[in-house]
């Protein structure tokens, strides 16, 4: 296995896509997959898939296809999904609660371990996923003692930096920011932004005012 500490983000995103495709194929009972099939599932060229597999030493013998479970295990080791990671959600509103209730994290070795909010009317309420909303003031370094925690920011934009600073202060330095606010992060922290509204905007652009048969 090559030195993987400095894997570029686009490569990690491709590996994550292979991983997701393999999870789904395994769930469908697939026993063997070719690199072309994986490429098609991820919308990536088969050449790129083979390059990635060869770079990370993934897969078995070329030409016989891949065992989805085995390949998924190998990719999990590269992505460090072979060990559990906790997700701590800050902002238990519509998006935060939907995330907490999502049932698909298990296949990624991810688990939502805490949901925090500042609204006294919400604190103590049971939500989907079997969790209880906790007071954000109770976020401490003990919330995630093993340091293997990822924060999810689902607060209003004007509270995003404050909530992020709380996460940094308790040692959570990996954050998925769902808010539109940019986050200033201390050295060594990593903040990624997830936004589906811009994706809808991209699709809106392709409006050709087409009238389909069922209109
Ligand atoms: P919401 O108003 O339903 O929930 C926000 C929650 O944050 C509330 O429960 C509120 O009490 C809590 N909160 C406020 N300040 C806090 C603080 N300092 N600490 C802890 N909790 C705090 O909002 P929503 O609809 O769930 O949206 C949440 C965020 O996600 C917004 O920033 C929104 O713009 C963003 N969003 C992003 C996308 C996307 O495509 N990425 C889509 C929808 C919403």
């Amino acid at each position: 296995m090559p030195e993987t500490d400095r894997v570029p983000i686009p490569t990690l995103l491709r590996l994550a896509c292979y991983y997701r495709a393999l999870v789904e194929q395994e769930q469908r009972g697939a026993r063997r997959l070719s690199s072309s099939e994986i490429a098609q599932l991820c919308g990536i060229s088969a050449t790129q898939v083979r390059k990635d597999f060869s770079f990370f030493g993934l897969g078995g013998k070329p030409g016989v296809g891949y065992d989805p479970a085995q390949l998924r295990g190998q990719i999990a080791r590269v992505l460090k999904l072979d060990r559990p990671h906790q997700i701590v959600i800050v902002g238990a509103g519509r998006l935060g609660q939907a995330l907490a209730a999502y049932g698909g994290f298990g296949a990624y070795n991810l688990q939502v371990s805490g949901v925090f909010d500042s609204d006294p009317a919400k604190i103590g309420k049971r939500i989907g996923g079997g969790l209880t909303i906790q007071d954000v003031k109770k976020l401490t370094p003990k919330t995630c003692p093993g340091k293997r925690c990822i924060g999810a920011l689902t607060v209003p934009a004007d509270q995003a930096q404050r909530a992020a600073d709380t996460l940094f202060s308790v040692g959570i330095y990996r954050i998925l920011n769902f808010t539109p606010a940019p986050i200033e992060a201390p050295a060594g922290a990593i903040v990624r932004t997830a936004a589906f509204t811009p994706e809808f905007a991209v699709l809106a652009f392709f409006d050709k005012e087409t009238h389909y048969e069922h209109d």
Side-chain angles (χ1 to χ4, degrees), residues 90-97 116-119 122 136 153-160 162-163 177-181 193-198:
V90 184
R94 287 158 289 208
L95 192 54
Q97 290 196 35
F116 294 85
D117 205 284
S118 58
D119 180 354
K122 288 188 176 164
V136 71
L153 269 192
T154 49
V155 294
D158 63 359
Q159 290 296 312
R162 186 177 174 180
N177 175 22
F178 286 91
T179 84
T193 297
F196 42 83
T197 35

